[in-house]
PDB file of all heavy atoms in Angstrom:
ATOM      1  N   GLN A   1     163.395  -3.948 247.707  1.00  0.00           N
ATOM      2  CA  GLN A   1     162.821  -3.032 246.719  1.00  0.00           C
ATOM      3  C   GLN A   1     162.132  -3.809 245.604  1.00  0.00           C
ATOM      4  O   GLN A   1     161.064  -3.422 245.127  1.00  0.00           O
ATOM      5  CB  GLN A   1     163.913  -2.134 246.145  1.00  0.00           C
ATOM      6  CG  GLN A   1     163.373  -1.071 245.200  1.00  0.00           C
ATOM      7  CD  GLN A   1     164.475  -0.245 244.560  1.00  0.00           C
ATOM      8  OE1 GLN A   1     165.559  -0.742 244.267  1.00  0.00           O
ATOM      9  NE2 GLN A   1     164.209   1.026 244.341  1.00  0.00           N
ATOM     10  N   LEU A   2     162.733  -4.927 245.194  1.00  0.00           N
ATOM     11  CA  LEU A   2     162.112  -5.770 244.168  1.00  0.00           C
ATOM     12  C   LEU A   2     160.755  -6.277 244.643  1.00  0.00           C
ATOM     13  O   LEU A   2     159.760  -6.226 243.898  1.00  0.00           O
ATOM     14  CB  LEU A   2     163.041  -6.943 243.848  1.00  0.00           C
ATOM     15  CG  LEU A   2     162.448  -8.069 242.984  1.00  0.00           C
ATOM     16  CD1 LEU A   2     162.112  -7.561 241.592  1.00  0.00           C
ATOM     17  CD2 LEU A   2     163.398  -9.253 242.906  1.00  0.00           C
ATOM     18  N   LEU A   3     160.704  -6.753 245.867  1.00  0.00           N
ATOM     19  CA  LEU A   3     159.453  -7.316 246.382  1.00  0.00           C
ATOM     20  C   LEU A   3     158.368  -6.254 246.528  1.00  0.00           C
ATOM     21  O   LEU A   3     157.207  -6.485 246.168  1.00  0.00           O
ATOM     22  CB  LEU A   3     159.711  -7.992 247.728  1.00  0.00           C
ATOM     23  CG  LEU A   3     160.621  -9.230 247.708  1.00  0.00           C
ATOM     24  CD1 LEU A   3     160.795  -9.791 249.111  1.00  0.00           C
ATOM     25  CD2 LEU A   3     160.072 -10.296 246.773  1.00  0.00           C
ATOM     26  N   ILE A   4     158.733  -5.068 247.050  1.00  0.00           N
ATOM     27  CA  ILE A   4     157.697  -4.048 247.242  1.00  0.00           C
ATOM     28  C   ILE A   4     157.274  -3.446 245.909  1.00  0.00           C
ATOM     29  O   ILE A   4     156.120  -3.023 245.760  1.00  0.00           O
ATOM     30  CB  ILE A   4     158.155  -2.941 248.216  1.00  0.00           C
ATOM     31  CG1 ILE A   4     159.333  -2.144 247.657  1.00  0.00           C
ATOM     32  CG2 ILE A   4     158.494  -3.513 249.568  1.00  0.00           C
ATOM     33  CD1 ILE A   4     159.666  -0.915 248.483  1.00  0.00           C
ATOM     34  N   THR A   5     158.164  -3.421 244.925  1.00  0.00           N
ATOM     35  CA  THR A   5     157.772  -2.932 243.592  1.00  0.00           C
ATOM     36  C   THR A   5     156.752  -3.861 242.971  1.00  0.00           C
ATOM     37  O   THR A   5     155.732  -3.426 242.418  1.00  0.00           O
ATOM     38  CB  THR A   5     159.004  -2.815 242.684  1.00  0.00           C
ATOM     39  OG1 THR A   5     159.935  -1.901 243.251  1.00  0.00           O
ATOM     40  CG2 THR A   5     158.608  -2.321 241.295  1.00  0.00           C
ATOM     41  N   ARG A   6     157.030  -5.146 243.056  1.00  0.00           N
ATOM     42  CA  ARG A   6     156.087  -6.122 242.511  1.00  0.00           C
ATOM     43  C   ARG A   6     154.746  -6.032 243.247  1.00  0.00           C
ATOM     44  O   ARG A   6     153.682  -6.060 242.627  1.00  0.00           O
ATOM     45  CB  ARG A   6     156.674  -7.527 242.652  1.00  0.00           C
ATOM     46  CG  ARG A   6     155.828  -8.606 241.989  1.00  0.00           C
ATOM     47  CD  ARG A   6     156.392  -9.974 242.295  1.00  0.00           C
ATOM     48  NE  ARG A   6     157.721 -10.113 241.716  1.00  0.00           N
ATOM     49  CZ  ARG A   6     158.667 -10.901 242.218  1.00  0.00           C
ATOM     50  NH1 ARG A   6     158.435 -11.581 243.318  1.00  0.00           N
ATOM     51  NH2 ARG A   6     159.831 -11.003 241.629  1.00  0.00           N
ATOM     52  N   GLY A   7     154.802  -5.907 244.581  1.00  0.00           N
ATOM     53  CA  GLY A   7     153.564  -5.808 245.349  1.00  0.00           C
ATOM     54  C   GLY A   7     152.789  -4.541 245.048  1.00  0.00           C
ATOM     55  O   GLY A   7     151.555  -4.561 244.932  1.00  0.00           O
ATOM     56  N   ALA A   8     153.517  -3.410 244.890  1.00  0.00           N
ATOM     57  CA  ALA A   8     152.855  -2.134 244.633  1.00  0.00           C
ATOM     58  C   ALA A   8     152.143  -2.144 243.283  1.00  0.00           C
ATOM     59  O   ALA A   8     150.986  -1.705 243.165  1.00  0.00           O
ATOM     60  CB  ALA A   8     153.882  -1.002 244.689  1.00  0.00           C
ATOM     61  N   LEU A   9     152.824  -2.654 242.250  1.00  0.00           N
ATOM     62  CA  LEU A   9     152.214  -2.645 240.919  1.00  0.00           C
ATOM     63  C   LEU A   9     151.106  -3.690 240.805  1.00  0.00           C
ATOM     64  O   LEU A   9     150.172  -3.509 240.012  1.00  0.00           O
ATOM     65  CB  LEU A   9     153.291  -2.873 239.854  1.00  0.00           C
ATOM     66  CG  LEU A   9     154.283  -1.717 239.706  1.00  0.00           C
ATOM     67  CD1 LEU A   9     155.242  -1.967 238.565  1.00  0.00           C
ATOM     68  CD2 LEU A   9     153.553  -0.393 239.481  1.00  0.00           C
ATOM     69  N   THR A  10     151.207  -4.767 241.578  1.00  0.00           N
ATOM     70  CA  THR A  10     150.097  -5.721 241.603  1.00  0.00           C
ATOM     71  C   THR A  10     148.860  -5.083 242.230  1.00  0.00           C
ATOM     72  O   THR A  10     147.739  -5.221 241.716  1.00  0.00           O
ATOM     73  CB  THR A  10     150.501  -6.980 242.402  1.00  0.00           C
ATOM     74  OG1 THR A  10     151.633  -7.594 241.788  1.00  0.00           O
ATOM     75  CG2 THR A  10     149.354  -7.980 242.439  1.00  0.00           C
ATOM     76  N   THR A  11     149.060  -4.370 243.323  1.00  0.00           N
ATOM     77  CA  THR A  11     147.950  -3.654 243.968  1.00  0.00           C
ATOM     78  C   THR A  11     147.338  -2.636 243.015  1.00  0.00           C
ATOM     79  O   THR A  11     146.109  -2.524 242.896  1.00  0.00           O
ATOM     80  CB  THR A  11     148.442  -2.944 245.240  1.00  0.00           C
ATOM     81  OG1 THR A  11     149.024  -3.901 246.115  1.00  0.00           O
ATOM     82  CG2 THR A  11     147.301  -2.239 245.956  1.00  0.00           C
ATOM     83  N   PHE A  12     148.203  -1.890 242.325  1.00  0.00           N
ATOM     84  CA  PHE A  12     147.727  -0.875 241.378  1.00  0.00           C
ATOM     85  C   PHE A  12     146.928  -1.530 240.258  1.00  0.00           C
ATOM     86  O   PHE A  12     145.870  -1.031 239.851  1.00  0.00           O
ATOM     87  CB  PHE A  12     148.928  -0.119 240.807  1.00  0.00           C
ATOM     88  CG  PHE A  12     148.565   1.054 239.942  1.00  0.00           C
ATOM     89  CD1 PHE A  12     148.409   2.321 240.499  1.00  0.00           C
ATOM     90  CD2 PHE A  12     148.375   0.907 238.577  1.00  0.00           C
ATOM     91  CE1 PHE A  12     148.069   3.405 239.701  1.00  0.00           C
ATOM     92  CE2 PHE A  12     148.039   1.980 237.776  1.00  0.00           C
ATOM     93  CZ  PHE A  12     147.891   3.240 238.343  1.00  0.00           C
ATOM     94  N   SER A  13     147.423  -2.668 239.746  1.00  0.00           N
ATOM     95  CA  SER A  13     146.758  -3.337 238.630  1.00  0.00           C
ATOM     96  C   SER A  13     145.377  -3.847 239.029  1.00  0.00           C
ATOM     97  O   SER A  13     144.398  -3.662 238.299  1.00  0.00           O
ATOM     98  CB  SER A  13     147.624  -4.503 238.144  1.00  0.00           C
ATOM     99  OG  SER A  13     147.005  -5.195 237.086  1.00  0.00           O
ATOM    100  N   VAL A  14     145.270  -4.480 240.195  1.00  0.00           N
ATOM    101  CA  VAL A  14     143.970  -4.996 240.646  1.00  0.00           C
ATOM    102  C   VAL A  14     142.986  -3.846 240.871  1.00  0.00           C
ATOM    103  O   VAL A  14     141.802  -3.933 240.501  1.00  0.00           O
ATOM    104  CB  VAL A  14     144.155  -5.823 241.927  1.00  0.00           C
ATOM    105  CG1 VAL A  14     142.801  -6.219 242.514  1.00  0.00           C
ATOM    106  CG2 VAL A  14     144.991  -7.073 241.636  1.00  0.00           C
ATOM    107  N   SER A  15     143.454  -2.748 241.464  1.00  0.00           N
ATOM    108  CA  SER A  15     142.590  -1.585 241.681  1.00  0.00           C
ATOM    109  C   SER A  15     142.134  -0.993 240.358  1.00  0.00           C
ATOM    110  O   SER A  15     140.990  -0.539 240.218  1.00  0.00           O
ATOM    111  CB  SER A  15     143.328  -0.528 242.500  1.00  0.00           C
ATOM    112  OG  SER A  15     143.702  -1.035 243.762  1.00  0.00           O
ATOM    113  N   ASN A  16     143.020  -1.001 239.364  1.00  0.00           N
ATOM    114  CA  ASN A  16     142.658  -0.531 238.019  1.00  0.00           C
ATOM    115  C   ASN A  16     141.484  -1.309 237.469  1.00  0.00           C
ATOM    116  O   ASN A  16     140.547  -0.740 236.888  1.00  0.00           O
ATOM    117  CB  ASN A  16     143.865  -0.719 237.082  1.00  0.00           C
ATOM    118  CG  ASN A  16     144.578   0.586 236.798  1.00  0.00           C
ATOM    119  OD1 ASN A  16     144.404   1.180 235.751  1.00  0.00           O
ATOM    120  ND2 ASN A  16     145.369   1.040 237.753  1.00  0.00           N
ATOM    121  N   ASP A  17     141.559  -2.633 237.629  1.00  0.00           N
ATOM    122  CA  ASP A  17     140.507  -3.477 237.064  1.00  0.00           C
ATOM    123  C   ASP A  17     139.157  -3.181 237.701  1.00  0.00           C
ATOM    124  O   ASP A  17     138.125  -3.173 237.023  1.00  0.00           O
ATOM    125  CB  ASP A  17     140.867  -4.950 237.265  1.00  0.00           C
ATOM    126  CG  ASP A  17     142.105  -5.347 236.471  1.00  0.00           C
ATOM    127  OD1 ASP A  17     142.407  -4.655 235.485  1.00  0.00           O
ATOM    128  OD2 ASP A  17     142.768  -6.322 236.853  1.00  0.00           O
ATOM    129  N   VAL A  18     139.166  -2.931 239.010  1.00  0.00           N
ATOM    130  CA  VAL A  18     137.914  -2.604 239.694  1.00  0.00           C
ATOM    131  C   VAL A  18     137.296  -1.341 239.093  1.00  0.00           C
ATOM    132  O   VAL A  18     136.086  -1.265 238.840  1.00  0.00           O
ATOM    133  CB  VAL A  18     138.156  -2.421 241.203  1.00  0.00           C
ATOM    134  CG1 VAL A  18     136.895  -1.897 241.886  1.00  0.00           C
ATOM    135  CG2 VAL A  18     138.597  -3.735 241.832  1.00  0.00           C
ATOM    136  N   ALA A  19     138.138  -0.335 238.834  1.00  0.00           N
ATOM    137  CA  ALA A  19     137.630   0.923 238.287  1.00  0.00           C
ATOM    138  C   ALA A  19     137.079   0.743 236.879  1.00  0.00           C
ATOM    139  O   ALA A  19     136.108   1.412 236.489  1.00  0.00           O
ATOM    140  CB  ALA A  19     138.750   1.964 238.293  1.00  0.00           C
ATOM    141  N   LYS A  20     137.697  -0.169 236.108  1.00  0.00           N
ATOM    142  CA  LYS A  20     137.238  -0.363 234.724  1.00  0.00           C
ATOM    143  C   LYS A  20     135.844  -0.980 234.673  1.00  0.00           C
ATOM    144  O   LYS A  20     135.119  -0.801 233.684  1.00  0.00           O
ATOM    145  CB  LYS A  20     138.240  -1.242 233.963  1.00  0.00           C
ATOM    146  CG  LYS A  20     139.585  -0.563 233.718  1.00  0.00           C
ATOM    147  CD  LYS A  20     140.600  -1.571 233.209  1.00  0.00           C
ATOM    148  CE  LYS A  20     142.012  -1.014 233.292  1.00  0.00           C
ATOM    149  NZ  LYS A  20     143.033  -2.054 233.044  1.00  0.00           N
ATOM    150  N   TYR A  21     135.482  -1.732 235.715  1.00  0.00           N
ATOM    151  CA  TYR A  21     134.118  -2.265 235.736  1.00  0.00           C
ATOM    152  C   TYR A  21     133.105  -1.126 235.646  1.00  0.00           C
ATOM    153  O   TYR A  21     132.087  -1.220 234.951  1.00  0.00           O
ATOM    154  CB  TYR A  21     133.857  -3.047 237.023  1.00  0.00           C
ATOM    155  CG  TYR A  21     134.804  -4.182 237.302  1.00  0.00           C
ATOM    156  CD1 TYR A  21     134.991  -4.635 238.605  1.00  0.00           C
ATOM    157  CD2 TYR A  21     135.500  -4.816 236.277  1.00  0.00           C
ATOM    158  CE1 TYR A  21     135.853  -5.682 238.886  1.00  0.00           C
ATOM    159  CE2 TYR A  21     136.366  -5.854 236.550  1.00  0.00           C
ATOM    160  CZ  TYR A  21     136.550  -6.285 237.858  1.00  0.00           C
ATOM    161  OH  TYR A  21     137.398  -7.312 238.139  1.00  0.00           O
ATOM    162  N   PHE A  22     133.381  -0.038 236.368  1.00  0.00           N
ATOM    163  CA  PHE A  22     132.460   1.100 236.386  1.00  0.00           C
ATOM    164  C   PHE A  22     132.465   1.848 235.054  1.00  0.00           C
ATOM    165  O   PHE A  22     131.540   2.585 234.755  1.00  0.00           O
ATOM    166  CB  PHE A  22     132.839   2.065 237.511  1.00  0.00           C
ATOM    167  CG  PHE A  22     132.563   1.526 238.880  1.00  0.00           C
ATOM    168  CD1 PHE A  22     133.520   0.805 239.561  1.00  0.00           C
ATOM    169  CD2 PHE A  22     131.340   1.726 239.490  1.00  0.00           C
ATOM    170  CE1 PHE A  22     133.268   0.295 240.822  1.00  0.00           C
ATOM    171  CE2 PHE A  22     131.073   1.222 240.753  1.00  0.00           C
ATOM    172  CZ  PHE A  22     132.037   0.498 241.425  1.00  0.00           C
ATOM    173  N   ALA A  23     133.495   1.673 234.264  1.00  0.00           N
ATOM    174  CA  ALA A  23     133.567   2.376 232.980  1.00  0.00           C
ATOM    175  C   ALA A  23     132.806   1.639 231.898  1.00  0.00           C
ATOM    176  O   ALA A  23     132.092   2.249 231.089  1.00  0.00           O
ATOM    177  CB  ALA A  23     135.029   2.550 232.565  1.00  0.00           C
ATOM    178  N   ILE A  24     132.937   0.291 231.880  1.00  0.00           N
ATOM    179  CA  ILE A  24     132.440  -0.462 230.734  1.00  0.00           C
ATOM    180  C   ILE A  24     131.052  -1.065 230.991  1.00  0.00           C
ATOM    181  O   ILE A  24     130.131  -0.880 230.184  1.00  0.00           O
ATOM    182  CB  ILE A  24     133.443  -1.578 230.358  1.00  0.00           C
ATOM    183  CG1 ILE A  24     134.798  -0.963 230.003  1.00  0.00           C
ATOM    184  CG2 ILE A  24     132.920  -2.398 229.200  1.00  0.00           C
ATOM    185  CD1 ILE A  24     135.863  -1.984 229.665  1.00  0.00           C
ATOM    186  N   ILE A  25     130.918  -1.781 232.101  1.00  0.00           N
ATOM    187  CA  ILE A  25     129.669  -2.523 232.332  1.00  0.00           C
ATOM    188  C   ILE A  25     128.445  -1.598 232.327  1.00  0.00           C
ATOM    189  O   ILE A  25     127.452  -1.873 231.626  1.00  0.00           O
ATOM    190  CB  ILE A  25     129.755  -3.328 233.643  1.00  0.00           C
ATOM    191  CG1 ILE A  25     130.932  -4.311 233.592  1.00  0.00           C
ATOM    192  CG2 ILE A  25     128.447  -4.067 233.912  1.00  0.00           C
ATOM    193  CD1 ILE A  25     130.813  -5.351 232.521  1.00  0.00           C
ATOM    194  N   PRO A  26     128.452  -0.495 233.081  1.00  0.00           N
ATOM    195  CA  PRO A  26     127.260   0.375 233.046  1.00  0.00           C
ATOM    196  C   PRO A  26     126.990   0.948 231.660  1.00  0.00           C
ATOM    197  O   PRO A  26     125.825   1.070 231.245  1.00  0.00           O
ATOM    198  CB  PRO A  26     127.599   1.488 234.042  1.00  0.00           C
ATOM    199  CG  PRO A  26     128.636   0.900 234.933  1.00  0.00           C
ATOM    200  CD  PRO A  26     129.435   0.008 234.052  1.00  0.00           C
TER     201      PRO A  26
END
């Protein structure tokens, strides 16, 4: 559970950053 929690939130965080590019850069 510890490993999948860390992996899940890492995936969520990286995906968040991708979305923020579309918010700020344009």
Side-chain angles (χ1 to χ4, degrees):
Q1 185 184 35
L2 169 65
L3 295 180
I4 65 171
T5 300
R6 186 186 296 152
L9 292 185
T10 300
T11 303
F12 187 90
S13 179
V14 173
S15 300
N16 256 259
D17 294 337
V18 172
K20 292 169 194 169
Y21 304 156
F22 290 90
I24 300 178
I25 301 297

